[in-house]
Amino acid sequence: MTRPMLTQREAAAACGVSRSTIRRRREAGDLPGCAEDPRRGWMIPVDALLAAGFRLNAPSPAEDPAAEAPAGPAAPSDGGGPDAAALRAELERIRAEHALALAHAEYGQKLAEAEAEHLRVQLAERGERIADLQRAVAALTPAPERAALTPRPQGPAVPGQTQAEPVPEHSEPRKRRWGWRS
């Protein structure tokens, strides 16, 4: 089911306000769900107008309220008296609050779904990172038979100092191999 949409001009005419009022409220974010149509311009949902507090097709206020007052107290009015008008206004206010609450709930749900997807992606990336680190630790951990071997002698304790290599006891002196004959 698609929501009824009005152009900015139609919305302004239906609400009895100027187009700039509708534009300002749209730009301020008071009219959620607006979409820009390439041919018709900005399209405003009717429920967003109601949620923002506009009344659609509202009669313009009377110029002189005393001139339109009924002649006697028992004269019937157009909608059942001032109580009916107050009830209609209350109904419109409640509808607007309800539409606004629905818009907030939908927006909150979309935010929650986006955050959940973001967290799923992060969890997958961290899982891959943990698996990589576990493989690295396994590669660096000595095998049980290698753990019993003695460590190799370390270099000099002071950096930059050289340590003389020990000469085995039964080794022969080195021969020169420069190509000269001795």
Side-chain angles (χ1 to χ4, degrees), residues 49-71:
L49 290 169
L50 294 173
F54 291 110
R55 291 189 60 191
L56 297 179
N57 300 323
S60 60
E63 295 294 324
D64 185 12
E68 292 188 16

Side-chain angles (χ1 to χ4, degrees), residues 24-108:
R24 282 193 307 271
R25 296 289 294 269
R26 177 185 50 80
E27 289 174 352
D30 294 339
L31 301 173
C34 295
E36 189 171 12
D37 184 275
R39 291 182 303 140
R40 297 182 66 195
W42 281 98
M43 302 299 293
I44 295 121
V46 171
D47 57 344
L49 290 169
L50 294 173
F54 291 110
R55 291 189 60 191
L56 297 179
N57 300 323
S60 60
E63 295 294 324
D64 185 12
E68 292 188 16
S77 62
D78 58 43
D83 290 333
L87 290 175
R88 275 195 212 99
E90 180 69 15
L91 178 64
E92 287 297 318
R93 185 188 63 77
I94 291 172
R95 282 182 180 165
E97 287 176 0
H98 178 68
L100 186 61
L102 283 177
H104 282 289
E106 289 173 4
Y107 181 70

Side-chain angles (χ1 to χ4, degrees), residues 5 16 18 37 49 58 60 66 68 80 82 85-87 112 117-118 121 123 150 154 173:
M5 306 277 271
S18 68
D37 184 275
L49 290 169
S60 60
E68 292 188 16
L87 290 175
E117 183 59 30
H118 174 70
V121 169
L123 184 62
T150 59
Q154 298 295 323

